[in-house]
Amino acid sequence: MADQDIALMAHLFRRAGFGASRDDLEAYAAKGYEATVEELLNPETQPGVEEDLMLRYNQSFRESNQARDQQWLYRMVNEPRQLQEKMALFWHTILCGGNTKIDSGYEMHRMINMFREKGTGSFRDLLLDLSKNPGMIYYLDNSESHKTAVNENYGRELLELFSLGVGMDEQFNYSEDDVKACALAFTGWNIAPAYPPFPYGRSQWQFRFDPADHDDSVKTFLGETGRWNGDDIIDIICKQPGAARFIARHMYDFFVADEPPVPSWRQTPPRDMEAIKTLEKAYFDSGYNIKAMLRALLTSDFFKSEDVRFAKVKNPAEIVAGTLRLVGDHREIKPGLWEIAQECTYMGMNLMDPPTVEGWHTGYEWIDSGTLVERVNFASEYLGQTDLPGVQSLVNHLMALGESLSPAQFVEGSIDLVGTLNLTEDTRQALVAHAQEGGDLRHGTEADRAEFTRRAGEMFQMIASTSEFQFG
Amino acid sequence: MSTHFFGLKDWNFQYSHSLGRNEFGGTGFRNPVDMVVSADDVVYVVNRSREDRPDGVRVTMVTLEEDFIGEFGAYGEGDGESIWPTAVALDNEGNVYIADEFLNRISVYTKDGDFIRKWGKAGSANGELDRPAGLAIDGQGTLYVTDSRNHRVQKFTLDGKYIGTFGSFGSEPGQLNMPWGITLDKDGLVLVADWRNDRIQAFTPDGEWQASFGSSGTGIGEFNRPNGVAVDKDGLIYVLDWLNDRVQILNPDGRFITALHGEHQLSRWGKDKLLSNPDMIEQRALAFTWDQGAFEKRLSDPCAVKVDDQNRILVLENTSGRIQVYQKTDTPVLV
C-alpha cells in the first residue's frame, strides 16, 4: 500500500474525525478514498456508539452538568460515526450555547445531539431546530423577548454569528432594521415553565410558541415584506448569498486551513475564493444541504492538497480525543475519563461552555505559553505509556520494519506511525541525534524487546513534544 | 393506583409515599444504583455518584419512614471503599454485601456499616469476576453474583469460596448477555435480568433453565434493557424496565399484569430542601401549574426495584435521588 494513500487517509481522519489508528488507516486506505468519504458522510450505515453500555456504567450522564464533557469526550473517542461527531463539534463552535448560563447538562446534550442528528442535513432545518432549542432560547434571551418588550439578542446573533455574518465582499449582509424585524418575528418563541434543580433535579425544558406574545405585524426583512414569523425569517436567510458564504468559510476554516477571524470576513477575502465558490455552489444546488457541501469539500483537490495538510492548529478536543484514539486508551468504559476531559478546559476549550456566543478564537490563538505546556504534557504522557494497546501496536509496527533498525530508520518509522509527517529537517536531525546515543535497535531477545519498547515510547514522547505535533 | 383481577383476588398497587432527594451526603442520595430493605425496615441505598464528586460514593441507611440513620463507605480502593459500587444484598444476620464492578470484588459490612472483609479476583476462570453487577443471598448462605462480562451467574459462600456457575454468552434459553439484577423467590428459584437480551430468565438453584419471558420493545411484556427483578411472596414478578422508565408487574408465569410509572409526591427531605430554597418553591409552583405535576410524579431513570415481606414495593430512581414506595394489597373477588 502506497505511503501517500496512508498519508491522505490520515489527513482525512484528522479533519473529518478525531484521528485513527495505524491499523484503521491501512484498512480504510485499502477500501479507497471515495468509498471512505461516503462511509463518513452516511453515518447511518455504521453502528453508533453503544449508548446502553455508556449509560449502564455512567448513569449520571443522563442529567449531570459536570459529566457533560466527559460524555462527549467518550463519544469523540469511541463513536464509529466519526464525521457525525466532528460535525457536532463544528456546529458547537459556531452555533454557540454555554452551560455557564444554561446550567443544565441535559439541555446541553440536547443541543449537541441536535447538531449530531441535523448537522449534515438541511441548513434550514438546523436553523429552525436551533431557534426552537430551549437551551438556545434561554441562552440568547429569547425567553425574555416579548411582543411588548422585544429583546433583540437572539435576532441579532442569528444574523451576525449563526447564519450570515456582518458582510462579505466589502458589503454588509443586513441592516439594523433587519435585526429588529428578525427579533420581532421570533417573539412568542419561548420555553414552558420548568422544574428547578432542587430537590429532585431539573425537568427537561420544552419549546412553547405563545401566539398571544408573538408580534404578528407586517415586517420588512432583507427586502421582503410580509407578516413574518420565525420560520419565514429562516427561509429568507437561507436563500441569501451571505448564508452560503458564511457556511462555506466556516467549513473551509474548520476542515481545510485556518481562515482569519470571523469579524474580519466583510473586508478580508477568503484564502481560497475558488474553493469557497465550489462550496457555495454545492449549497444552492442541493437546496442548502450540508452533506452536499461536505462531499464537495472532502473530495476536492483543495482539501486533498499537500499544501493544506498540517496547516491547521489542532483544537484541544482534537488533541485530547486524537491522542486517546492513537494510544487506545478509554476505548472501553472505565473510570478516569472525567479528569481527562478537563484537559480540554486546561487547553482553553471548555466543551459545551464557550467563552461567549462568538465561540472560541481558533488557529494560533489556541496556543499560549500555558496551553502549549498542557498540550505537550498531555500527548507525551500518553504516548510514553507503552502498556497501552495503541502504543503497543505502534511499537509492534515499528519492530515489523526489520530485525535491526538504525537510529535514522527508527526515527522515520516513529514519525510515520505517530503521524507527524510535517517535521522540519532540523527536528528530524535532533531526533536522530538522540536516537544515535543508544545505537541500533534490535528486538530478538526479551531484553532487546524491552529496551526497544522503552526507546520507542521515549521517541513517541519526543515527537509529541515537537511544535509540529500541534498541527493537524 | 391500579387494580387487577388475578385468580381469585384483585391485586391493588397503591402509591404510598416517597423518600429521598438529591444530595452528595447526609439526607439524600446521589445517582443511586441499588438498594435493599432489612427485616427491621432499614433501607440501604448504594450511591454511585459521579466521577467529579467521589465524595458522593457511599451507602445511605434510612428507614422506610425517611429517618436518616447514617452512611458508610467511601470512594477508593481501600478496605470498605468502592470505585463503582453496583449492587447490595443482606445475609440472615443483616450483614451488608456490596459489589464493586470496577474493582471486581465484594465488600462485607456489619448492619451498622463497619467493614468486615472483602474478596474477589478479576478474571474469567471459575470464581473470578468481570464486572459483578447483581447480588442475591439465599437462606442457606449462598451468594449469587451476576458476573456480567463473563455472562454468567456464579455462586459463592459468604466468605467468597467458589461453589458453582451457570450461564454462558448467547441468546438461547439459559444463555445470558451481560446480566444485571438477580433475585430469589421463596422456593429458591433464581430470576436474572438478562440485560442485553431484554428478558428475564428463571433457573433452579443449580442453574437448570426453567423459563424466559420478555422480548425487546416498548409494549406490554416487552423490555428495554431490564436491569432489576424482584419477586413477592405471592410469586408476582417486578421487572425494572430500565430504558422504558417503568416497572412491569408480571404474574408467576410471566404474563403482564400492570406497570408502574410513578406517582411521586414530595418526600419529607424534599420538602425540607424546598423550604430552605424559597426561590425554588416559586419555580416549582409555576412548573407544577404548567404540567399538573406530571414530571415530578413519573419515575425518573428508575434503576432498582425491591419488594419486602409486607408487600411494599420500592422503586429507586437514579437521577432524582429518591425512592417511590407502593403498597400491594389484595381483596377476594366477589363472584
Side-chain angles (χ1 to χ4, degrees):
Chain A
M1 187 173 306
D3 288 347
Q4 59 265 35
D5 292 341
I6 296 287
L8 178 60
M9 202 55 74
H11 171 64
L12 175 65
F13 273 86
R14 282 195 304 274
R15 302 293 173 83
F18 294 91
S21 70
R22 180 66 178 209
D23 292 336
D24 285 345
L25 290 177
E26 288 179 1
Y28 280 118
K31 186 172 186 174
Y33 186 83
E34 308 293 325
T36 301
V37 167
E38 282 307 309
E39 184 179 306
L40 288 166
L41 287 170
N42 295 285
E44 67 282 0
T45 62
Q46 302 297 310
V49 73
E50 295 179 299
E51 295 208 17
D52 59 344
L53 276 186
M54 191 176 74
L55 290 175
R56 173 168 180 159
Y57 296 116
N58 295 287
Q59 295 196 47
S60 62
F61 277 6
R62 296 204 260 203
E63 47 80 40
S64 167
N65 279 348
Q66 289 72 17
R68 68 186 189 282
D69 42 4
Q70 177 189 0
Q71 179 180 165
W72 200 2
L73 179 59
Y74 178 79
R75 288 177 181 273
M76 289 176 186
V77 174
N78 290 292
E79 178 57 77
R81 302 167 171 181
Q82 281 281 288
L83 179 57
Q84 185 180 60
E85 210 55 43
K86 200 67 180 278
M87 285 303 288
L89 182 63
F90 169 73
W91 287 119
H92 176 53
T93 62
I94 301 167
L95 312 178
C96 290
N99 193 60
T100 294
K101 181 167 180 180
I102 293 173
D103 191 26
S104 167
Y106 180 85
E107 295 305 331
M108 287 313 305
H109 277 294
R110 178 146 65 160
M111 189 183 293
I112 301 303
N113 207 39
M114 172 180 67
F115 299 149
R116 201 172 277 129
E117 290 178 356
K118 298 288 178 72
T120 56
S122 151
F123 186 54
R124 180 193 177 279
D125 293 349
L126 180 62
L127 284 185
L128 194 57
D129 276 17
L130 182 76
S131 302
K132 291 179 178 177
N133 181 272
M136 184 55 74
I137 288 172
Y138 182 69
Y139 183 67
L140 288 182
D141 304 318
N142 214 55
S143 48
E144 300 300 322
S145 187
H146 305 288
K147 182 179 181 179
T148 52
V150 180
N151 185 311
E152 294 176 356
N153 201 10
Y154 183 69
R156 183 178 303 279
E157 304 306 7
L158 175 63
L159 301 181
E160 182 182 339
L161 296 173
F162 293 172
S163 65
L164 296 176
V166 173
M168 58 187 271
D169 302 335
E170 301 189 5
Q171 304 295 313
F172 288 100
N173 281 337
Y174 58 90
S175 69
E176 194 63 19
D177 286 343
D178 291 320
V179 170
K180 293 182 192 305
C182 181
L184 274 175
F186 279 101
T187 52
W189 292 46
N190 213 315
I191 316 170
Y195 285 81
F198 299 149
Y200 306 115
R202 290 185 185 282
S203 57
Q204 298 161 13
W205 298 351
Q206 293 173 46
F207 170 72
R208 178 181 65 163
F209 176 67
D210 182 357
D213 200 22
H214 172 67
D215 184 307
D216 193 35
S217 65
V218 172
K219 311 164 189 75
T220 297
F221 178 68
L222 294 175
E224 299 193 36
T225 302
R227 223 173 269 282
W228 306 135
N229 203 328
D231 43 2
D232 302 313
I233 293 291
I234 289 170
D235 284 341
I236 295 170
I237 286 173
C238 287
K239 59 188 178 189
Q240 303 301 314
R245 174 66 57 87
F246 180 84
I247 305 168
R249 285 195 81 163
H250 269 299
M251 275 191 177
Y252 189 92
D253 176 61
F254 192 83
F255 289 102
V256 184
D258 290 330
E259 279 275 274
V262 179
S264 65
W265 284 3
R266 186 175 72 84
Q267 302 99 326
T268 310
R271 174 176 166 152
D272 182 347
M273 183 59 96
E274 196 179 331
I276 297 300
K277 292 287 182 194
T278 300
L279 299 179
E280 288 176 0
K281 183 173 185 305
Y283 174 83
F284 284 117
D285 286 354
S286 65
Y288 323 141
N289 186 272
I290 302 300
K291 186 193 288 189
M293 296 179 78
L294 278 169
R295 181 178 285 113
L297 185 149
L298 297 174
T299 56
S300 70
D301 290 340
F302 64 78
F303 176 76
K304 296 178 191 172
S305 166
E306 295 201 12
D307 293 343
V308 300
R309 296 184 197 176
F310 304 105
K312 285 184 55 58
V313 177
K314 293 175 193 167
N315 66 48
E318 289 171 325
I319 287 273
V320 174
T323 300
L324 292 180
R325 283 175 66 80
L326 182 63
V327 303
D329 199 14
H330 285 275
R331 301 307 297 265
E332 70 162 10
I333 303 167
K334 63 178 185 178
L337 196 58
W338 179 81
E339 207 169 305
I340 296 173
Q342 305 320 299
E343 294 286 345
C344 294
T345 304
Y346 305 151
M347 296 175 198
M349 191 180 207
N350 189 354
L351 288 169
M352 301 196 206
D353 212 3
T356 68
V357 65
E358 194 187 348
W360 290 278
H361 291 187
T362 61
Y364 280 93
E365 294 199 43
W366 286 122
I367 306 282
D368 62 29
S369 55
T371 59
L372 181 60
V373 170
E374 294 290 344
R375 293 162 71 104
V376 168
N377 283 350
F378 178 80
S380 61
E381 180 192 335
Y382 275 88
L383 273 158
Q385 295 180 40
T386 53
D387 56 335
L388 292 172
V391 183
Q392 279 178 0
S393 172
L394 296 181
V395 174
N396 291 339
H397 275 285
L398 209 47
M399 288 180 177
L401 294 177
E403 290 180 3
S404 172
L405 297 183
S406 70
Q409 289 173 314
F410 173 62
V411 168
E412 283 307 312
S414 298
I415 291 169
D416 178 47
L417 288 165
V418 173
T420 310
L421 303 172
N422 55 329
L423 291 187
T424 63
E425 196 51 35
D426 283 352
T427 306
R428 284 171 195 266
Q429 289 309 319
L431 294 174
V432 170
H434 176 80
Q436 281 170 338
E437 292 173 12
D440 287 356
L441 295 97
R442 295 182 178 78
H443 50 87
T445 68
E446 198 168 318
D448 283 347
R449 286 182 69 84
E451 179 60 7
F452 189 111
T453 301
R454 185 195 68 76
R455 288 179 66 186
E458 183 186 70
M459 181 55 62
F460 299 155
Q461 284 189 297
M462 294 178 78
I463 293 169
S465 305
T466 61
S467 57
E468 292 92 331
F469 185 82
Q470 302 306 321
F471 295 86
Chain B
M1 183 185 77
S2 54
T3 303
H4 296 268
F5 173 73
F6 179 74
L8 296 176
K9 292 176 178 175
D10 278 343
W11 300 120
N12 184 301
F13 304 94
Q14 174 75 48
Y15 170 79
S16 167
H17 66 287
S18 296
L19 43 149
R21 71 182 188 215
N22 274 326
E23 292 291 348
F24 289 101
T27 50
F29 318 128
R30 192 72 221 195
N31 297 111
V33 288
D34 198 19
M35 66 182 163
V36 65
V37 192
S38 75
D40 50 356
D41 282 1
V42 175
V43 188
Y44 294 83
V45 179
V46 178
N47 299 282
R48 177 98 154 222
S49 192
R50 54 181 205 241
E51 275 197 50
D52 67 301
R53 289 297 300 267
D55 55 316
V57 174
R58 69 203 193 279
V59 178
T60 306
M61 296 181 288
V62 56
T63 69
L64 267 165
E65 298 308 313
E66 212 176 4
D67 292 320
F68 178 70
I69 296 177
E71 55 193 11
F72 61 89
Y75 183 85
E77 298 189 20
D79 287 350
E81 297 176 334
S82 303
I83 299 289
W84 273 3
T86 189
V88 59
L90 303 176
D91 67 17
N92 283 344
E93 296 174 5
N95 294 318
V96 185
Y97 295 70
I98 305 283
D100 185 317
E101 61 181 340
F102 179 68
L103 298 175
N104 291 306
R105 72 185 189 193
I106 312 296
S107 293
V108 188
Y109 309 79
T110 68
K111 67 177 184 176
D112 299 321
D114 296 322
F115 175 74
I116 301 173
R117 63 179 176 272
K118 64 179 189 293
W119 52 267
K121 181 183 175 195
S124 58
N126 283 342
E128 295 176 343
L129 300 167
D130 191 358
R131 297 206 172 171
L135 297 177
I137 299 174
D138 70 14
Q140 288 72 50
T142 298
L143 176 65
Y144 291 76
V145 183
T146 48
D147 184 14
S148 67
R149 292 208 303 196
N150 286 324
H151 312 287
R152 65 189 180 185
V153 174
Q154 295 208 75
K155 298 194 292 183
F156 297 90
T157 63
L158 295 181
D159 55 0
K161 290 190 180 63
Y162 171 73
I163 298 173
T165 186
F166 59 85
S168 61
F169 176 74
S171 57
E172 296 298 312
Q175 293 184 318
L176 300 164
N177 190 346
M178 300 197 73
W180 193 336
I182 184 168
T183 196
L184 308 169
D185 76 2
K186 64 183 185 340
D187 299 319
L189 202 65
V190 184
L191 285 99
V192 179
D194 188 7
W195 186 68
R196 257 195 163 176
N197 281 328
D198 290 328
R199 65 186 180 184
I200 302 297
Q201 296 209 74
F203 300 86
T204 66
D206 294 328
E208 189 180 331
W209 176 79
Q210 298 294 294
S212 303
F213 36 85
S215 57
S216 302
T218 58
I220 61 171
E222 295 176 336
F223 306 126
N224 191 353
R225 300 294 184 267
N227 77 321
V229 57
V231 188
D232 69 19
K233 58 189 178 185
D234 298 310
L236 301 196
I237 301 165
Y238 302 77
V239 180
L240 198 297
D241 190 5
W242 193 51
L243 292 180
N244 283 332
D245 289 327
R246 64 186 178 185
V247 172
Q248 292 199 58
I249 304 176
L250 314 176
N251 73 15
D253 64 10
R255 281 184 293 127
F256 175 82
I257 298 175
T258 189
L260 308 177
H261 296 276
E263 297 177 54
H264 168 83
Q265 293 177 17
L266 271 178
S267 60
R268 185 147 56 86
W269 293 352
K271 276 181 198 156
D272 291 346
K273 188 77 174 184
L274 279 176
L275 289 172
S276 60
N277 293 275
D279 55 322
M280 304 267 170
I281 295 176
E282 191 179 341
Q283 263 194 57
R284 179 178 175 274
L286 280 171
F288 207 91
T289 304
W290 168 255
D291 77 348
Q292 284 83 51
F295 164 75
E296 208 170 79
K297 284 179 185 173
R298 69 172 174 259
L299 294 174
S300 171
D301 302 323
C303 53
V305 60
K306 304 287 168 170
V307 55
D308 71 1
D309 285 345
Q310 297 177 49
N311 282 330
R312 289 175 298 199
I313 304 147
L314 282 71
V315 186
L316 181 63
E317 298 169 79
N318 183 273
T319 54
S320 52
R322 67 191 184 199
I323 297 169
Q324 295 196 37
V325 182
Y326 286 76
Q327 178 70 58
K328 187 186 87 169
T329 57
D330 57 75
T331 50
V333 173
L334 300 176
V335 180

